[in-house]
Amino acid sequence: MKKIINDPKNVVEEMVSGLVDAYPDYVKQVPETLVVARNDDYDQVALVSGGGSGHEPSHAGFVGDGMLSAAVCGQVFTSPTPDQIYEAIKATNKGKGTLMIVKNYSGDVMNFDMAKDLAAMDDIEVDSVLVDDDIAVEDSTYTQGRRGVAGTVLVHKILGGMAREGKSVSELASYGKSLVEDIKTVGIALSGATVPEVGKPGFTLAEDEMEFGVGIHGEPGYRREKIKPSAEIAKEIIAKLKGEFNWQAGDKYGLFVNGMGATPLMELFIYYNDAKKILADEGVEITFSKVGNYMTSLEMAGASITMIKLDDERLRLLNEPVHTIAW
Amino acid sequence: MKKIINDPKNVVEEMVSGLVDAYPDYVKQVPETLVVARNDDYDQVALVSGGGSGHEPSHAGFVGDGMLSAAVCGQVFTSPTPDQIYEAIKATNKGKGTLMIVKNYSGDVMNFDMAKDLAAMDDIEVDSVLVDDDIAVEDSTYTQGRRGVAGTVLVHKILGGMAREGKSVSELASYGKSLVEDIKTVGIALSGATVPEVGKPGFTLAEDEMEFGVGIHGEPGYRREKIKPSAEIAKEIIAKLKGEFNWQAGDKYGLFVNGMGATPLMELFIYYNDAKKILADEGVEITFSKVGNYMTSLEMAGASITMIKLDDERLRLLNEPVHTIAW
């Protein structure tokens, strides 16, 4: 294992220390926690997200005006504990309640739920939105149902905008549920990622091999085969997405190509270019685009394509300016 | 070679196509060129930069209000041709002249100079600023003198702000020269990068090996040895920078940790954290920080540390809002 780290046990603590030190205009660390919170004042429903670390800039990079109030940083690929999530809820509570945005992994679901129960004892209203946008497989290594992956970032953005505009916890929870149904993702991987404390890759692929449908912790996908040209990969992934969305010509969508960590931006733009062409041939109108590394998997090589069904309101919220490190 | 591409010969064309298609609010392609230009109107000295591709988001990600007017995208790790640079100058000329920001590589220097001569025949005033911030080695594979690397992004930002505020070509060229003298960088690499048309890595390192001072095209550094903890690497790199800057306690600097492409943000924040601690012990005040992948080397693993001597004016310009894809 070759990494720019010190003790593998301390990677998350040192990362959070570096992050809040580098960006004090955006974030602060809640003392004696691994919670990264907004470093400005606000008066709205708090939005709390988080999960295992290793997906940077998710989620701490999306903390700030217009997106999250706090991100809880678990150990690498490990759910944060209920007490840490509870600290995030307490630290960001402005008396208007809290919406938690949770990726669908069993550990996350359980621990965010327990934190909600702890907060209930303080009379803090808490509800949650569960993100399960990964359509590659049903159930998975750490999941009942579908996994939550890159689409979560779009949920942060849209619900973050609505919370800033004064929506209540119940309004956000209710809208969030319908929003998640309109966001779907499929990933591919060209190589695995190494958790520092483990010291070797979670999975390996041959020199000429790729895997379709891999999760953001290296969970198995649905097929391995020889690497194919970008345009052919995009064709298969867009067909998968079409199978879920059943779009018609003229429908409006957002197209989000997300890098898994080690894939150069050059390749992400080529992959975007291929996906966009296929969608144009289908008559699908892409009114919002985003390309880059937003929900990574340490140094995994690969990329995911997320599509989101758009209306004017969602498009407006996606385009609203925010004050975060990474959006 | 495993990459999400189609024909290795077309990677730059397809990348530019994807980029301008994804971000039309920011950029457009100058027809029949690989020039990415601002997609809005402006009335100022034009700032043109560019170079070989493979360093994304440099430079096209920094095109927009407050930074570059255009970026010329050469083939991978290959200088753009004079006619392409000339097209960028013509397309962005608002009658107030052009400042070119050129990284110090022999091919770039020659081709940007030839473009300047072509523009002179059109009576367009053109001057240039040469960036040679990499202090790791004197002369190098493609360079007489020092290489231009990540510090170039800070030059884009500061001169971009000054150009927006109405400075002339000669004012920008003169100030740019003194600015570059106050920006220094040293990189490290943990793995090499593969140019698509070559198909194999430009250099290889053993499983437990790293290299100090590697350039952004994989040019040799000054020492290979076994991988060390982040804090020890940072200690050596900061000592190198101190040898150039000779700072005193109380001096103000910016600290910019740049990823080479495949290194996770987690590691960049840990590396930043270590560098910052050493500087704090030295009494150096860090008034500006930036951490992320800004001047990459395809899928090379590694990172560079850039420091810039700051005064109030430079700090103000670094913090000014801009409208770009990647700053």
Side-chain angles (χ1 to χ4, degrees):
Chain A
M1 175 179 64
K2 273 202 289 195
K3 286 179 185 285
I4 307 174
I5 60 172
N6 297 296
D7 186 340
K9 286 195 178 60
N10 297 335
V11 290
V12 179
E13 286 74 2
E14 293 178 23
M15 170 185 75
V16 169
S17 170
L19 183 124
V20 299
D21 203 65
Y23 292 106
D25 291 347
Y26 295 83
V27 291
K28 63 184 174 192
Q29 185 168 8
V30 176
E32 291 170 53
T33 71
L34 291 171
V35 175
V36 175
R38 280 176 66 168
N39 204 6
D40 59 349
D41 204 19
Y42 49 98
D43 178 33
Q44 58 164 78
V45 169
L47 253 62
V48 171
S49 191
S53 292
H55 306 300
E56 291 68 33
S58 290
H59 299 272
F62 306 114
V63 170
D65 183 40
M67 290 188 79
L68 301 178
S69 309
V72 194
C73 304
Q75 293 303 309
V76 179
F77 291 0
T78 302
S79 299
T81 55
D83 64 294
Q84 292 273 314
I85 303 164
Y86 174 51
E87 292 297 332
I89 294 170
K90 281 195 298 183
T92 56
N93 176 36
K94 302 292 177 184
K96 301 199 165 176
T98 299
L99 183 81
M100 307 187 300
I101 300 172
V102 185
K103 299 197 299 300
N104 187 35
Y105 299 98
S106 305
D108 286 34
V109 171
M110 187 172 70
N111 291 355
F112 275 85
D113 263 358
M114 286 173 68
K116 176 183 170 178
D117 293 343
L118 292 170
M121 292 190 277
D122 294 339
D123 291 322
I124 303 174
E125 181 189 6
V126 179
D127 207 337
S128 62
V129 169
L130 197 65
V131 186
D132 58 351
D133 56 315
D134 188 343
I135 63 165
V137 296
E138 302 297 328
D139 303 335
S140 182
T141 317
Y142 314 109
T143 315
Q144 292 190 313
R146 290 171 168 182
R147 303 173 297 220
V149 292
T152 311
V153 178
L154 305 180
V155 177
H156 294 344
K157 185 65 166 67
I158 291 174
L159 295 185
M162 293 175 74
R164 178 165 60 178
E165 291 173 4
K167 291 285 188 292
S168 69
V169 172
S170 62
E171 286 169 327
L172 293 168
S174 161
Y175 185 77
K177 201 174 166 187
S178 63
L179 174 64
V180 168
E181 287 169 7
D182 288 341
I183 302 178
K184 314 281 183 196
T185 301
V186 190
I188 57 160
L190 275 58
S191 74
T194 297
V195 174
E197 284 205 76
V198 176
K200 59 184 172 60
F203 69 96
T204 51
L205 290 166
E207 256 313 294
D208 61 350
E209 204 179 30
M210 63 175 289
E211 182 163 339
F212 287 84
V214 173
I216 57 171
H217 312 91
E219 303 97 320
Y222 62 84
R223 194 173 82 252
R224 285 188 182 190
E225 68 170 291
K226 281 197 195 298
I227 179 85
K228 300 204 284 188
S230 169
E232 285 181 39
I233 302 170
K235 193 176 169 189
E236 169 164 339
I237 301 300
I238 297 294
K240 281 243 166 226
L241 290 163
K242 186 180 183 181
E244 293 277 327
F245 281 119
N246 293 307
W247 54 62
Q248 305 296 317
D251 285 355
K252 289 176 183 170
Y253 282 84
L255 176 59
F256 170 29
V257 172
N258 172 63
M260 295 295 192
T263 291
L265 270 182
M266 173 179 283
E267 297 176 38
L268 300 182
F269 279 118
I270 291 170
Y271 195 39
Y272 171 92
N273 193 50
D274 289 318
K276 177 76 189 292
K277 272 189 205 160
I278 296 163
L279 290 164
D281 288 345
E282 297 260 333
V284 173
E285 199 181 329
I286 300 302
T287 54
F288 174 84
S289 300
K290 200 163 180 72
V291 182
N293 294 289
Y294 295 98
M295 177 70 76
T296 63
S297 182
L298 295 169
E299 76 283 22
M300 187 188 287
S304 60
I305 296 181
T306 299
M307 290 181 67
I308 173 174
K309 197 159 170 38
L310 290 182
D311 55 22
D312 290 347
E313 176 68 354
R314 288 179 184 174
L315 181 60
R316 180 184 70 79
L317 289 163
L318 284 171
N319 286 326
E320 283 284 309
V322 293
H323 185 71
T324 66
I325 300 168
W327 171 257
Chain B
M1 174 180 65
K2 274 202 289 195
K3 288 180 183 286
I4 307 174
I5 59 172
N6 297 296
D7 185 340
K9 286 194 178 60
N10 297 335
V11 289
V12 179
E13 285 75 2
E14 293 178 22
M15 170 185 76
V16 169
S17 170
L19 183 124
V20 299
D21 202 66
Y23 293 106
D25 290 347
Y26 296 84
V27 290
K28 64 183 174 193
Q29 184 168 9
V30 175
E32 293 170 52
T33 72
L34 291 172
V35 175
V36 175
R38 280 176 67 169
N39 203 7
D40 59 350
D41 203 19
Y42 49 98
D43 178 31
Q44 58 164 78
V45 169
L47 253 61
V48 171
S49 190
S53 292
H55 306 299
E56 292 68 33
S58 288
H59 299 271
F62 306 116
V63 171
D65 182 41
M67 291 187 80
L68 301 177
S69 309
V72 194
C73 304
Q75 293 303 309
V76 179
F77 291 180
T78 302
S79 299
T81 55
D83 64 294
Q84 291 273 313
I85 303 165
Y86 173 52
E87 292 296 333
I89 293 170
K90 281 195 297 183
T92 57
N93 176 36
K94 302 292 176 184
K96 302 200 165 176
T98 299
L99 184 81
M100 307 187 299
I101 300 172
V102 184
K103 300 198 299 301
N104 187 34
Y105 298 98
S106 305
D108 287 32
V109 171
M110 186 173 69
N111 292 355
F112 276 85
D113 263 358
M114 287 174 67
K116 177 183 169 177
D117 293 343
L118 293 170
M121 291 190 276
D122 295 339
D123 290 322
I124 303 175
E125 181 190 5
V126 179
D127 207 338
S128 62
V129 169
L130 197 65
V131 186
D132 58 353
D133 57 315
D134 188 342
I135 63 165
V137 295
E138 302 297 329
D139 302 334
S140 182
T141 317
Y142 314 109
T143 316
Q144 291 189 311
R146 291 171 167 181
R147 303 174 297 221
V149 291
T152 310
V153 178
L154 305 179
V155 177
H156 293 344
K157 184 65 166 67
I158 291 174
L159 295 185
M162 293 175 74
R164 178 166 59 179
E165 291 173 5
K167 292 284 188 293
S168 69
V169 172
S170 62
E171 286 169 328
L172 293 168
S174 162
Y175 185 77
K177 200 174 166 186
S178 62
L179 174 64
V180 168
E181 287 169 6
D182 288 340
I183 301 177
K184 314 282 182 194
T185 302
V186 190
I188 57 162
L190 274 59
S191 75
T194 297
V195 173
E197 284 205 75
V198 176
K200 60 183 172 59
F203 67 96
T204 51
L205 290 166
E207 254 314 295
D208 60 351
E209 204 179 30
M210 64 176 288
E211 182 163 339
F212 288 84
V214 172
I216 56 172
H217 312 92
E219 303 97 320
Y222 61 84
R223 194 173 83 252
R224 285 189 183 190
E225 67 169 293
K226 281 196 193 300
I227 179 87
K228 299 204 284 188
S230 169
E232 285 180 40
I233 302 169
K235 193 176 168 188
E236 170 164 338
I237 300 302
I238 296 294
K240 281 243 166 229
L241 291 162
K242 186 181 182 180
E244 292 278 327
F245 281 118
N246 294 307
W247 54 62
Q248 305 297 316
D251 284 356
K252 290 177 181 167
Y253 282 83
L255 177 59
F256 170 29
V257 172
N258 172 63
M260 295 295 191
T263 291
L265 270 183
M266 172 179 283
E267 297 176 39
L268 300 183
F269 279 118
I270 291 170
Y271 195 39
Y272 171 91
N273 193 49
D274 289 319
K276 177 76 188 290
K277 271 189 202 160
I278 296 162
L279 290 164
D281 288 346
E282 297 260 333
V284 172
E285 200 181 329
I286 300 302
T287 54
F288 174 84
S289 300
K290 200 161 180 73
V291 182
N293 293 290
Y294 295 97
M295 178 69 76
T296 63
S297 180
L298 295 169
E299 74 284 23
M300 186 188 289
S304 60
I305 296 181
T306 299
M307 289 181 67
I308 173 172
K309 197 159 169 42
L310 290 181
D311 55 22
D312 291 348
E313 177 67 354
R314 288 178 184 174
L315 181 60
R316 179 184 72 77
L317 289 163
L318 284 171
N319 286 327
E320 283 283 309
V322 293
H323 185 71
T324 66
I325 300 167
W327 170 256

